[in-house]
Amino acid sequence: MNEKTFALKGTVCYNESPEKLSITENGYLVCENGVCAGVFTNLPEKYNGIPCRDVGDCLIIPGLTDLHLHAPQYSFRSIGMDLELLEWLDTITFPQESKYADLDYARKAYSIFAEDMKKSATTRASIFATLHVAATELLMDLMEETGLKTFIGKVNMDRNGPPALQEESAQASAQATLAWIQETAGRYQNVKPILTPRFTPSCTDELMRMLGEIQKEYHLPVQSHLSENLGEIAWVKELCPNTGFYGEAYDQFGLFGGENGPAIMAHCVHCPDEEIALMKERGVYIAHCSQSNTNLSSGIAPVRRYLSEGLHVGIGSDIAGGTSVSLLRAMADSIQTSKLRWRLVDDTLKPLTLEEVFYIATIGGGSFFGKVGSFEGGYEFDAVILDDSNLPHPQPFTSKERLERLVYLSDDRNITGKYVSGAKIF
Ligand code: GUN
Ligand code: FE
């Protein structure tokens, strides 16, 4: 027996399918060597004597995956929310991100970010840093210490940025990326690199071509933005007259999933049919960033369509387009915006349900990391303990109702325990 073999006892909730939650009250959730061995109403005899943390009436849910957020933007979240995407990038985001050339500033800002990520219900995340290699490595060091499992990307940008936030050339950007990959190789248990061309307007074809070559050589996953905002999409059309739709601007360089390696595309609010078909063919992961899409007036992504057509969908906080790192809050936002879409845009796509958003935030995004996001046997043991005792009520609630209340009402105080791959975070 090792320290990663134990049981948690409480009300265990996870998705059996996108439509169905499994809820076991007074259940035993067993972790064996960091891997989930299943949920039991009575502890099987072979586990007699393993340590058991009894969390009483608390709910135990799989760890949540944040498939898209920007660590350097945590420091200015909720500023400039009257702007649309492109103006927000130019006037707020790029000047703020340029501050990460200063390592002292980066240390202060990233320490706050890492601490808050640790306290959240997030166990896995795919994170944008900035273009600065030293600050990106510092972020990787700090996230390593949290125990969360993350992909972190040094951002690439060689056009359309201010001088303070643009690399000198495609060559310089590619070289800095290679140096970063080589310097960090083998340094971490919990953090992995991910190639991060910011979005098409920030990267020349020459840079994209070089990143495609690096991708092939190092087999790294890719993350970027896609079809987020109408102004952005019109700009990409101008910049890439050779492409039929935005996704092709990545695909032509092998940066859109497929056999080279997986890709996360954030937003996917306004994808044409051909783009959706290509995302499906390439197995692209869609990061659904509902709060950001509201804040930056981008729109409402057709998530039900993506689910019903069998695409991979996870949830993203998109800090600082989104203002909250809480993925429980992101679930509520996703339900609410899907209702507005149904009522105002397209009444053929029914609103998302609690079960569906729970699935998206657990298995949907978790599967980018492997067998993650479920309590079925064989999944990595990522678990979060939710205590709702500070949300009193005079009448009885079912466990599902308690979970629904936590989606709408919880904050950090309700998150009282977290495990990643069987390692106790708190
Ligand atoms: N597109 C390019 N960069 C960004 C960013 O930082 N945030 C969002 N929401 N979209 C982007
Ligand atoms: Fe983003």
Side-chain angles (χ1 to χ4, degrees), residues 68-70 73 85 88 128 198 224-225 228 266-267 289 292 318-321:
H68 179 72
L69 76 167
H70 300 254
Q73 299 178 12
L85 173 68
W88 174 77
F128 279 52
R198 182 173 205 120
S224 195
H225 296 90
E228 173 178 1
H267 302 283
C289 306
S292 170
D318 191 32
I319 296 294

Side-chain angles (χ1 to χ4, degrees), residues 60-81:
I60 306 169
I61 63 167
L64 306 180
T65 292
D66 193 336
L67 215 47
H68 179 72
L69 76 167
H70 300 254
Q73 299 178 12
Y74 193 61
S75 59
F76 68 89
R77 68 197 186 286
S78 86
I79 306 284
M81 297 278 90

Side-chain angles (χ1 to χ4, degrees), residues 71-72 97 100-103 106-107 110 127-144 150-156 167 176-177 180-181 183-184 187-188 191-194 196 223:
E97 284 196 15
Y100 290 77
D102 173 355
L103 267 189
R107 183 176 297 283
Y110 282 152
I127 302 174
F128 279 52
T130 60
L131 54 78
H132 311 97
V133 172
T136 300
E137 292 185 15
L138 177 64
L139 175 64
M140 293 167 92
D141 293 349
L142 291 167
M143 287 308 296
E144 173 75 6
T150 58
F151 285 102
I152 295 180
K154 173 230 169 304
V155 171
N156 297 96
E167 292 163 298
T177 304
W180 162 67
I181 293 167
E183 277 163 28
T184 54
R187 207 197 273 182
Y188 305 109
V191 183
K192 291 181 183 164
I194 182 165
T196 307
Q223 60 181 355

Side-chain angles (χ1 to χ4, degrees), residues 12 14 22-24 27-30 36-42 375-377:
V12 185
Y14 70 96
S22 155
I23 300 181
T24 309
Y28 292 87
L29 173 64
V30 175
C36 191
V39 183
F40 307 95
T41 44
N42 295 298
F375 288 146
E376 269 166 25

Side-chain angles (χ1 to χ4, degrees), residues 364-407:
S367 63
F368 190 77
F369 291 76
K371 286 199 86 169
V372 170
S374 170
F375 288 146
E376 269 166 25
Y379 276 75
E380 291 192 54
F381 191 92
D382 288 12
V384 170
I385 298 165
L386 299 175
D387 181 344
D388 59 358
S389 59
N390 68 338
L391 301 168
H393 46 93
Q395 77 281 49
F397 280 130
T398 64
S399 297
K400 186 185 154 187
E401 286 168 337
R402 289 175 57 207
L403 182 64
E404 187 169 16
R405 287 178 96 232
L406 282 157
V407 164

